[in-house]
């Protein structure tokens, strides 16, 4: 079993025009920045990207937007990206906004073999339009379908060559659920180690969900909102 | 009139010992600064942390530790980190005792609109729709009127809804209001603001019973 790729360029081989991708991360925290850079370089286009956010203008998925490589975006919050808003309002970019919890659960369901589920989120709003409504325990719920992707691209702190992953801090976010939902899942890690070096008790994503893994060449880890308190 | 910090300070009085609380972006975030002494609460941020602490000291920011507003934070001793599906399991499964969020409009039947202005502003709902659909106890922190002076406390919302019949209480710069279903009960008024002024700034039906006390801190 050889899952290890030399670099991001080798890891994204097979991603072609019009494919659907899932990309982990919340804001710029825990995004697969090496793979995003490789996708920009590859020039692949017409992508459908499923990600909680759309990056900022000059980092994260914003780089693919600037390059017009994304045809459709499925996300929950896109407020940090002016280019995104421009492309959406002008109709260049197709956008499907989904409640954040439904987005996470739809990915999880996609990876867990559950085709759809009922949730109260969004009932009575425009996102419920055209969706089946059913009452459980006296409360209306809407039917949401599972999501899967041709490729899921996630970022972890540490991984081993079998694809077992450990995340750090709130960089975990959507990465574990998206790792489950890719037909092929690519993991970029800060530190790639040999089997046995990670404690099995602390694995967040078991290696069965990961098909390709590599150690990222560099992680900028840009901070979106640097907030601090004074020492005095 | 209350300022943003005073609105947060008033809502902090609603927080009970031992609660798990989710605070939205904006005024709600400020509530953490005003939780009274002796009240122990854990703050949840829906990007995946329970036990969120204050902002880090300068130089100690960690790009891998942020809140749902994408701000750098710290983790308190005893904090827990989890993925987005678990995070919303806590929310949807009603394990969180109180949710406070901002709004563009609230109506007298408890509807809330806070995610979209058609044709103008489309930022997305983030976790707000999941939060308001499930939380038992939802308080809205907002300004009573918009910049033009129009009421944001309405009979019926005009903007696309985030959730229906879910808001329990509203704290504005002018008043504390309880959602009744067919109106708002005026519970308290901001220091120096008269009942007549609140009535003037409120488009919804207002229920006033007896003497309305001033907000006390």
């Amino acid at each position: 079993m050889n899952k290890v790729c030399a670099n991001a360029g080798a890891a994204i081989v097979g991603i072609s025009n019009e494919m659907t991708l899932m990309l982990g991360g919340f804001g710029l925290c825990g995004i697969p920045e090496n793979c995003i850079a490789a996708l920009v370089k590859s020039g692949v286009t017409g992508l459908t990207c499923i990600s909680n956010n759309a990056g900022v203008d000059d980092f994260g998925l914003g780089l693919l937007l600037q390059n017009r490589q994304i045809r459709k975006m499925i996300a929950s919050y896109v407020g940090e990206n002016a280019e995104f808003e421009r492309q959406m309002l002008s109709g260049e970019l197709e956008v499907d906004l989904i409640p954040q919890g439904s987005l996470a659960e739809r990915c999880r369901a996609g990876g867990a073999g559950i085709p759809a589920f009922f949730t109260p989120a969004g009932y009575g709003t425009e996102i419920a339009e055209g969706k089946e409504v059913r009452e459980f325990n006296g409360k209306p719920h809407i039917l949401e379908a599972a999501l899967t992707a041709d490729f899921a691209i996630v970022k972890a702190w540490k991984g081993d060559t079998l694809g077992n992953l450990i995340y750090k801090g709130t960089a975990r976010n959507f990465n574990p659920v998206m790792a489950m939902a890719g037909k092929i899942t690519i993991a970029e890690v800060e530190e790639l180690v040999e089997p046995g070096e990670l404690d099995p008790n602390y694995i967040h994503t078991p290696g069965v969900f990961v098909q390709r893994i590599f150690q990222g060449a560099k992680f900028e880890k840009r901070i979106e909102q640097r907030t601090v308190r004074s020492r005095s | 009139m209350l300022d943003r910090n005073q609105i947060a300070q008033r809502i902090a009085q609603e927080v009970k010992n031992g609660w798990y609380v989710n605070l939205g972006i904006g005024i709600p975030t400020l509530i953490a600064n005003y939780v009274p002494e002796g009240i122990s609460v854990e703050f949840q941020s829906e990007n995946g942390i329970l036990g969120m602490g204050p902002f880090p000291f300068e130089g100690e920011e960690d790009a891998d530790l942020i809140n749902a507003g994408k701000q750098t934070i710290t983790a308190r001793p005893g904090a827990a980190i989890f993925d987005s599906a678990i995070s919303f399991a806590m929310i949807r499964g009603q394990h969180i005792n109180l949710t406070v969020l901002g709004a563009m409009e609230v109506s007298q039947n408890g509807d809330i609109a806070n995610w979209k202005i058609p044709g103008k502003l489309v930022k997305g709902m983030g976790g707000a729709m999941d939060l308001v659909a499930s939380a038992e106890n939802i308080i809205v922190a907002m300004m009573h009127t918009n910049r033009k002076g129009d009421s944001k406390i309405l009979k019926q919302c005009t903007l696309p809804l985030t959730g229906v019949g879910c808001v329990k209480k509203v704290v504005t710069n002018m008043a504390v209001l309880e959602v009744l279903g067919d109106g708002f009960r005026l519970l308290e008024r901001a220091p120096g603001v008269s009942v007549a002024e609140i009535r003037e700034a409120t488009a919804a039906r207002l229920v006033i019973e007896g003497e309305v006390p001033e907000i006390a801190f």
Side-chain angles (χ1 to χ4, degrees):
Chain A
M1 197 182 311
N2 185 17
K3 297 183 177 182
V4 178
C5 301
N7 51 41
I12 64 158
V13 166
I15 296 182
S16 56
N17 296 348
E18 311 303 322
M19 275 190 170
T20 296
L21 309 182
M22 279 181 187
L23 298 108
F26 184 97
L28 301 179
C29 181
I31 59 171
E33 50 181 278
N34 288 276
C35 281
I36 290 171
L39 286 168
V40 170
K41 206 172 157 197
S42 79
V44 63
T45 183
L47 297 172
T48 294
C49 289
I50 304 171
S51 186
N52 188 56
N53 311 92
V56 295
D57 282 317
D58 61 346
F59 201 60
L61 284 183
L63 297 171
L64 289 171
L65 282 168
Q66 294 281 2
N67 236 9
R68 307 280 198 283
Q69 290 173 272
I70 301 177
R71 182 179 61 77
K72 181 177 179 181
M73 189 74 217
I74 299 175
S76 89
Y77 188 82
V78 294
E80 293 94 356
N81 192 316
E83 174 63 14
F84 182 99
E85 199 152 357
R86 193 198 64 72
Q87 288 187 23
M88 174 166 61
L89 292 173
S90 73
E92 289 166 62
L93 181 70
E94 206 182 316
V95 177
D96 191 2
L97 290 169
I98 297 178
Q100 197 176 128
S102 297
L103 178 60
E105 193 64 16
R106 288 174 71 179
C107 295
R108 200 198 73 81
I114 293 174
F117 57 90
F118 283 96
T119 175
Y123 171 75
T125 76
E126 63 182 54
I127 71 121
E129 282 166 19
K131 289 174 183 161
E132 185 184 336
V133 176
R134 204 184 292 180
E135 214 168 273
F136 295 94
N137 305 320
K139 192 174 166 175
H141 293 71
I142 62 173
L143 185 67
E144 292 281 13
L147 288 169
T148 56
D150 296 307
F151 282 83
I153 309 176
V154 303
K155 187 264 163 181
W157 178 39
K158 291 181 183 180
D160 67 21
T161 57
L162 292 175
N164 295 303
L165 304 176
I166 296 175
Y167 307 92
K168 181 169 156 277
T170 56
R172 190 180 322 180
N173 56 62
F174 280 83
N175 285 300
V177 290
M178 289 184 169
M180 294 166 67
K183 292 191 187 88
I184 296 174
T185 292
I186 304 168
E188 61 174 72
V189 299
E190 292 178 51
E191 195 183 340
L192 183 61
V193 301
E194 291 301 318
E197 289 186 46
L198 303 177
D199 184 337
N201 289 298
Y202 297 99
I203 300 295
H204 297 130
T205 293
V208 69
F209 294 116
V210 176
Q211 282 69 47
R212 302 179 187 177
I213 189 164
F214 70 99
Q215 185 171 305
K218 109 177 200 306
F219 288 92
E220 180 182 334
K221 292 201 193 180
R222 196 182 291 188
I223 291 175
E224 215 166 323
Q225 306 278 344
R226 189 179 297 273
T227 43
V228 295
R229 68 189 145 131
S230 73
R231 284 172 194 277
S232 54
Chain B
M1 300 269 190
L2 304 186
D3 63 21
R4 289 161 54 87
N5 280 294
Q6 289 169 316
I7 293 173
Q9 195 176 356
R10 174 60 190 83
I11 296 174
Q13 295 175 3
E14 305 282 320
V15 177
K16 303 255 188 320
N17 195 37
W19 274 9
Y20 291 94
V21 178
N22 180 290
L23 301 178
I25 295 163
I27 297 172
T29 305
L30 302 170
I31 293 167
N33 302 332
Y34 295 103
V35 175
E37 286 276 323
I39 301 280
S40 162
V41 295
E42 295 290 333
F43 291 108
Q44 196 247 21
S45 196
E46 64 269 22
N47 58 317
I49 181 170
L50 203 57
M52 174 172 49
F55 295 149
F57 290 119
E58 198 164 355
E60 290 176 5
E61 312 92 289
D62 179 355
D64 291 329
L65 203 53
I66 64 167
N67 63 17
K70 283 96 181 177
Q71 298 170 312
T72 46
I73 53 160
T74 54
R76 300 205 329 162
I81 302 270
F82 34 83
D83 68 52
S84 299
I86 298 281
S87 180
F88 282 92
M90 286 174 201
I91 289 164
R92 232 186 279 103
Q94 300 187 334
H95 305 280
I96 302 296
N97 304 96
L98 172 66
T99 292
V100 187
L101 69 176
M104 298 170 182
E105 295 177 346
V106 173
S107 71
Q108 61 193 29
N109 64 333
D111 293 355
I112 175 171
N114 73 351
W115 73 284
K116 182 179 183 181
I117 303 173
K120 263 195 199 158
L121 173 115
V122 191
K123 292 188 181 299
M125 68 291 284
M129 282 192 185
D130 311 90
L131 281 158
V132 300
S134 300
E136 288 278 319
N137 192 4
I138 299 172
I139 300 178
V140 167
M142 67 192 293
M143 293 296 155
H144 210 95
T145 58
N146 65 19
R147 288 200 183 97
K148 287 187 289 178
D150 302 326
S151 181
K152 295 161 71 169
I153 312 293
L154 305 173
K155 285 196 167 67
Q156 210 170 358
C157 292
T158 64
L159 294 169
L161 295 180
T162 307
V164 292
C166 52
V167 177
K168 299 288 186 289
K169 202 176 256 188
V170 182
V171 179
T172 75
N173 52 331
M174 298 182 85
V176 180
L177 304 161
E178 181 192 353
V179 177
L180 295 175
D182 59 351
F184 288 92
R185 179 181 283 127
L186 179 57
L187 297 177
E188 297 168 30
R189 57 197 170 81
V193 177
S194 71
V195 169
E197 285 171 302
I198 295 166
R199 200 186 281 284
E200 176 69 28
T202 306
R205 193 173 85 88
L206 207 54
V207 175
I208 296 155
E209 288 159 349
E211 198 68 16
V212 179
E214 282 192 354
I215 294 168
F217 294 109

PDB file of all heavy atoms in Angstrom, chain A residues 23 94 143 153 165 190 215 230:
ATOM      1  N   LEU A  23     -12.975  20.807   0.049  1.00  0.00           N
ATOM      2  CA  LEU A  23     -11.735  21.348   0.626  1.00  0.00           C
ATOM      3  C   LEU A  23     -11.981  21.694   2.084  1.00  0.00           C
ATOM      4  O   LEU A  23     -12.883  22.491   2.405  1.00  0.00           O
ATOM      5  CB  LEU A  23     -11.267  22.576  -0.155  1.00  0.00           C
ATOM      6  CG  LEU A  23     -10.928  22.265  -1.623  1.00  0.00           C
ATOM      7  CD1 LEU A  23     -11.974  22.839  -2.555  1.00  0.00           C
ATOM      8  CD2 LEU A  23      -9.543  22.772  -1.991  1.00  0.00           C
ATOM      9  N   GLU A  94     -21.857  30.273  -9.846  1.00  0.00           N
ATOM     10  CA  GLU A  94     -23.045  29.658  -9.289  1.00  0.00           C
ATOM     11  C   GLU A  94     -22.768  29.402  -7.799  1.00  0.00           C
ATOM     12  O   GLU A  94     -21.684  28.907  -7.456  1.00  0.00           O
ATOM     13  CB  GLU A  94     -23.280  28.335 -10.020  1.00  0.00           C
ATOM     14  CG  GLU A  94     -24.712  27.854 -10.036  1.00  0.00           C
ATOM     15  CD  GLU A  94     -24.816  26.514 -10.746  1.00  0.00           C
ATOM     16  OE1 GLU A  94     -24.185  26.348 -11.813  1.00  0.00           O
ATOM     17  OE2 GLU A  94     -25.489  25.634 -10.211  1.00  0.00           O
ATOM     18  N   LEU A 143     -35.619  17.559   4.480  1.00  0.00           N
ATOM     19  CA  LEU A 143     -34.754  16.468   4.031  1.00  0.00           C
ATOM     20  C   LEU A 143     -33.537  17.052   3.312  1.00  0.00           C
ATOM     21  O   LEU A 143     -33.674  17.821   2.363  1.00  0.00           O
ATOM     22  CB  LEU A 143     -35.526  15.545   3.080  1.00  0.00           C
ATOM     23  CG  LEU A 143     -34.789  14.281   2.627  1.00  0.00           C
ATOM     24  CD1 LEU A 143     -34.572  13.327   3.792  1.00  0.00           C
ATOM     25  CD2 LEU A 143     -35.580  13.568   1.522  1.00  0.00           C
ATOM     26  N   ILE A 153      -9.954  17.164  -0.315  1.00  0.00           N
ATOM     27  CA  ILE A 153      -8.594  17.592  -0.006  1.00  0.00           C
ATOM     28  C   ILE A 153      -8.586  18.170   1.398  1.00  0.00           C
ATOM     29  O   ILE A 153      -9.305  19.137   1.682  1.00  0.00           O
ATOM     30  CB  ILE A 153      -8.102  18.651  -1.018  1.00  0.00           C
ATOM     31  CG1 ILE A 153      -8.331  18.146  -2.454  1.00  0.00           C
ATOM     32  CG2 ILE A 153      -6.632  18.961  -0.790  1.00  0.00           C
ATOM     33  CD1 ILE A 153      -7.963  19.163  -3.524  1.00  0.00           C
ATOM     34  N   LEU A 165      -4.557  10.297  10.430  1.00  0.00           N
ATOM     35  CA  LEU A 165      -4.359  11.740  10.586  1.00  0.00           C
ATOM     36  C   LEU A 165      -4.690  12.240  11.988  1.00  0.00           C
ATOM     37  O   LEU A 165      -5.625  11.760  12.623  1.00  0.00           O
ATOM     38  CB  LEU A 165      -5.255  12.509   9.595  1.00  0.00           C
ATOM     39  CG  LEU A 165      -5.129  12.175   8.109  1.00  0.00           C
ATOM     40  CD1 LEU A 165      -6.156  12.977   7.318  1.00  0.00           C
ATOM     41  CD2 LEU A 165      -3.709  12.453   7.601  1.00  0.00           C
ATOM     42  N   GLU A 190       1.615  18.558   7.983  1.00  0.00           N
ATOM     43  CA  GLU A 190       2.826  19.313   8.329  1.00  0.00           C
ATOM     44  C   GLU A 190       3.986  18.377   8.593  1.00  0.00           C
ATOM     45  O   GLU A 190       5.137  18.728   8.389  1.00  0.00           O
ATOM     46  CB  GLU A 190       2.555  20.200   9.552  1.00  0.00           C
ATOM     47  CG  GLU A 190       1.581  21.332   9.262  1.00  0.00           C
ATOM     48  CD  GLU A 190       1.286  22.173  10.482  1.00  0.00           C
ATOM     49  OE1 GLU A 190       2.238  22.618  11.154  1.00  0.00           O
ATOM     50  OE2 GLU A 190       0.097  22.382  10.770  1.00  0.00           O
ATOM     51  N   GLN A 215       3.730  15.408   2.695  1.00  0.00           N
ATOM     52  CA  GLN A 215       4.122  16.483   3.615  1.00  0.00           C
ATOM     53  C   GLN A 215       4.230  17.775   2.825  1.00  0.00           C
ATOM     54  O   GLN A 215       4.952  17.847   1.828  1.00  0.00           O
ATOM     55  CB  GLN A 215       5.460  16.139   4.272  1.00  0.00           C
ATOM     56  CG  GLN A 215       5.879  17.142   5.337  1.00  0.00           C
ATOM     57  CD  GLN A 215       7.087  16.650   6.127  1.00  0.00           C
ATOM     58  OE1 GLN A 215       7.080  15.562   6.695  1.00  0.00           O
ATOM     59  NE2 GLN A 215       8.130  17.450   6.149  1.00  0.00           N
ATOM     60  N   SER A 230      -3.910  43.037  25.829  1.00  0.00           N
ATOM     61  CA  SER A 230      -2.647  43.594  26.334  1.00  0.00           C
ATOM     62  C   SER A 230      -2.258  42.894  27.629  1.00  0.00           C
ATOM     63  O   SER A 230      -3.101  42.337  28.331  1.00  0.00           O
ATOM     64  CB  SER A 230      -2.791  45.093  26.556  1.00  0.00           C
ATOM     65  OG  SER A 230      -3.593  45.315  27.686  1.00  0.00           O
TER      66      SER A 230
END
